[in-house]
Amino acid sequence: MTNALLADWDTPLQLPPFAAIADDDFAPALETALIEHKAEIAAIAENPAAPSFENTVLALEGAGSALDKVLSTFFSVAGADTNPKRQELQRDFSPKLAEHFAGIYADTALFARIEALWEQRDALHLDGEEARLLMLTRRGFVRAGAALTGADAERMRAIKSRLSVLGTAFTQNLLADEAGWQMELAEADLEGLPDWLKASARAAGEERGAAGPVITLSRSLITPFLQFSPRRDLRELAWRAWVARGANGGETDNREIAAEVLALREERAKLLGYETFAAYKLETEMAGAPDKVRDLLHAVWTPARARAEEDAAKLAERMAADGVNGPLQPWDWHYYSEARRREEHDLDETALKPYLQLDRMIEAAMDCAHRLFGLEFKPLDVPLYHPDCRAWEVTRNGTHCAVFVGDYFARASKRSGAWCSAMRMQAKKPDPKAPIVVNVCNFAKPSQGAPALLSYDDARTLFHEFGHALHQMLSDVTFGSMAGTSVARDFVELPSQLYEHWLEVPEVLRNFATHAETGEAMPQAMLDKVLEAATYDAGFQTVEYVASALVDLEFHDGPPPADPMARQAEILDSIGMPDAIAMRHATPHFAHVFAGDGYSSGYYSYMWSEVMDADAFAAFEEAGGAFDPAMADKLERFILSKGGSAEADELYIAFRGKMPEVDALLKGRGLAA
């Protein structure tokens, strides 16, 4: 029987044939694809002809198409709809893939061809994108250890293999802790909770086979529970479970994994000649060096901590007025902050939420993309990897641009958080490809027949991930390895964070924030309150984020700690972390940093990009409004379509004329003096 993963896909818009793929197909498909890719690489490395851009760099770019199909399909389902078999496959695949790609980077004949082209690059008459692809290819090989020999080369391969195993284990441990915990609620425990949260808790109970409503470790459930539950004992129980993920002892504990990862990363950096892993990692980012990241984070930390301490004092007064003795605790902050927000801004999340329907917010994100870039979204009726998923064909002026897949609801089989990925990247060479882009979120699923309602933070997340998707969908580069979000890590969040601003455009909220029962638009008075409260609690939000970013940086910019938890405590103490606020991501569940190398030494990237996104949206406001066509054209032409085809600072300066200062971020967060 033909393995569907290896066959030509005669499917609508070449989507993976999910209905024809069984879990047992993945392992044999991977083995076949790896053999094919090895043969392709060997043919390039052993080509008797003199190296040329076409027979070496372009040939490398086109190799591995079967492997790409297998891996993009597998990792799409493994991250968003896992099961024991898929987790077993992940554990098996990780070392195999690490060994496979380490072997490519260690191929001395292949690297010699690339190095020969690099040395004669000025005589090759390459265009801009070709020259950049050559540079990126060589740099990737060098940073992967291609220039190492003997024992050092072998040790590098072993380190990469072990890191891949540890990253998979970290992710699966975290998922197990999240899926394995729930707090069952009796009817009396529902006191004070808004109806929509009760409905979401009941739906979560049904999904998990519980006898009644439950609170799970999905952020879309646990955060509103902390906001609204008057039961301090239950809030503490929920909060402690939330922060204990990955640190519960036993087989799913991530603390020893984190220590080993940090040690291996430092060893890897030193093999390549770098003083620290942070120095190695940041070399290719916009920041360039750890001190620049540290300067940014501390510039924001000082005013944010001052604001948070002021807010904490006010919340403690409220708590004391309720007759609660003792200091304000982390499980108290959301509850008393919500009460304060209702009073000071006359803004009630319970009254606001019916106006933020998931379907209408999806429409809003797509309508903004249409007005800015002329994109059209047509629903597709196609088999996908889970019944909750939905898909759209994206066109412009009748021409196919992309397929967009949305997977919005939380479930036990999905890892936490929200992300954007691509099942296929855009490319023109060696073969033309249109992107297939996926947004994954973890919103609370409503009970049968009820509309899905979002918090304002949820709606912001939806726009954020859609901004990433636009970066993929509007990509217009020659080579797939430079397409879409294939950019510096501290630049990749610019399009996503910039797109969040369109949620706050009054006309967008007026048109799409309509009541789930009456269909009426959000009242102007409520809209005004939403926009006035946009920076409410910015001290808390900034402190919990910057603390995580500083811990990540310090972990990697010095000797690796034998006890990461003790080092984490030292770092937080040194910056004066407020007692009532916890890190957004403590070490045992810091998946951004320990599930893979992606954001290691790079969690600061969101803030680095925020400096730019505040400045970039100001460009629209200065030019005539959020939908100014000339600015939209510049945004697409210089940023969204360019991917990694030029240096990030060059792209931003081409768009804006200059790089921004941190003042734009402080003003945007309401933290400016």
Side-chain angles (χ1 to χ4, degrees), residues 187-211:
E187 284 302 312
D189 300 333
L190 300 175
E191 176 193 352
L193 304 185
D195 289 343
W196 56 263
L197 181 52
K198 294 177 185 177
S200 294
R202 289 192 174 97
E206 291 172 8
E207 196 252 338
R208 291 190 171 215

Side-chain angles (χ1 to χ4, degrees), residues 597-616:
D597 273 359
Y599 281 90
S600 55
S601 301
Y603 192 63
Y604 77 92
S605 301
Y606 293 91
M607 188 146 283
W608 189 276
S609 293
E610 190 175 338
V611 174
M612 291 180 284
D613 82 63
D615 179 63

